[in-house]
Structures are given as structure tokens and as C-alpha cells.
Amino acid sequence: MTISEIKEGLSSYVGHRVMLKASKSRKRVVIKEGIIEGAYPSIFVIEVEEENKSPRKMSFCYSDLLTRNVELTLCDSEQNIVYG
């Protein structure tokens, strides 16, 4: 799958609630829940809601999905958004 196919596929999920699993380093994995806010030419943005804090935005490049450094799962149907 190419980066342009990933962009097109992810843009159809804008506005959906997802579970985000991101590998930050070898042993550090971040798991958050948020909403896909936008899919832009180079990045996509997820608005993450944290308990007792204001929402923050996290941005990732499409190659993170391709290399599986970031995994997205739809919260509604438990369906993985798989690329790569």
C-alpha cells in the first residue's frame, strides 16, 4: 500500500472516535482515545481527550501507519484501521 492510498483511506474516517496505540520508543507505548480531526497532505491530527485535562492534539505522518508505529482502532466497531 502506498502513502497516497493511506491518505485517501484515512480521510474517510475523519470525525470518527478511535483508539490510538503509538510506539514512542522501544519500551514506551502510548494508548489514548480520541477523534480523528483532520487528514492533511503530510500529516493527520487526532484530538485526544484526557481525564481532568483539556483536549490536546497529536499529529502523526502517514508513514507511521505504514510502518505500524501507530495503530488505529475504531471505537464503535472494534475494527482495526490497518495499513502496511
Side-chain angles (χ1 to χ4, degrees), residues 40-57:
Y40 303 102
S42 300
I43 60 169
F44 62 96
V45 178
I46 298 179
E47 185 173 319
V48 177
E49 301 161 356
E50 296 185 39
E51 195 173 310
N52 298 328
K53 294 183 182 178
S54 60
R56 71 178 225 196
K57 296 178 183 179

Side-chain angles (χ1 to χ4, degrees), residues 28 32 40 42 46 51 63-64 66-67:
R28 187 171 157 215
K32 305 259 184 206
Y40 303 102
S42 300
I46 298 179
E51 195 173 310
S63 62
D64 289 334
L66 188 64
T67 59

